[in-house]
Amino acid sequence: METVNPKGTEQLRKIRKVIKKSGIAVLLAVAVPVIAFGSVYNVQEQEQAVVTTLGIPRTVAEPGLHFKIPFVQNVHKVNTTIQGFAVGYDPSDNESKEEDSLMITKDYNFVNVDFFVEYKVTDPVKAIYASRDPLIILQNVSRSSIRTVIGSYDVDSALTNGKNEIQSKVKEMITAKLAEHNVGLTVINVTIQDSEPPTKEVMEAFKAVETAKQGKETAINNANKYRNEKLPEATAQTDQILQEAESSKAKRINEASAEVAKFNAMYEEYVKNPEVTKKRMFYETMEDVLPNMKVIIDGTDQTSTILPLDSFTGGAASEKKENQE
């Protein structure tokens, strides 16, 4: 037969009460901090938070501490700074990845082109819920757009003077495709980091072509410089010649007009009295000529001869002077 100890039963009851009270205290000690910490979240300046309440998301853009309802609201933080990824090479060691960098151009040549794509999250809600991984979508779209654009240019443009245009077209194409996918990302910039032919021989050939192009540009610049230096001087000389020609033209026209006027006046007098006018013209001519000439007039009843002796007398005098010396 079993014996019951009243004192032992009472102690057991006390122990159970203590255990119950201690369990509640422990539960409260654990639950209160969890609930307290679970109702507060912090948003950094370079982040935005997406708070989901019973499946309905909203964006929190203000930095600082914010409150949420534990077990009812979920918070996802999104980095909204400008980020980037490489296409065609590994940024950690700059090693080329030919599966991404090797492309074919419009003129059926191969070329290695490395790109760097910069992007940022502009719609955090879509970046989280519109797709499983929006970055993978952006990377695939970028690779597709890059190959499409490179395939529309010849190899010379991809290696030399067409890089800026290629970058712009790649960015436009990625932006258009992202708008179709609507994953909350926006492309900020697309840059060609490096472009080169796939073989060393071809690389050297293109370097020679590039050097020749630079020499051509230098020669053109020097020619333009020489032209700019000489053109004003030649223009000034042309203007001077034209002005002198115009002056000479005006002078000759004026002289001719004066001669014509003089002739017309003389002709009018000649018509009135031909004999008198002829004698007057003869006498005036003789007055102008004779004072400056040394002549001997030797005439007869029939003829008169006028002999200019300047050259003869002058030459004889000079010869005589030389003989005397």
Side-chain angles (χ1 to χ4, degrees), residues 6 27 39 73 75-76 83 99 122 186 221 227 238 244-245 248 262 295-296 302 311:
L27 182 62
S39 61
Q73 293 180 320
V75 177
H76 298 276
Q83 305 174 71
E99 63 271 16
T122 53
T186 299
N221 292 335
R227 181 191 65 182
T238 302
E244 291 175 354
S248 178
K262 181 180 178 181
V295 299
I296 296 176
Q302 295 179 352
S311 59

Side-chain angles (χ1 to χ4, degrees), residues 12 14 57 79 89 129 156-157 168 178 198 213:
L12 184 60
K14 288 181 180 180
N79 186 353
Y89 70 101
Y129 294 107
D156 190 38
S157 299
S168 299
L178 279 181
K213 285 187 175 181

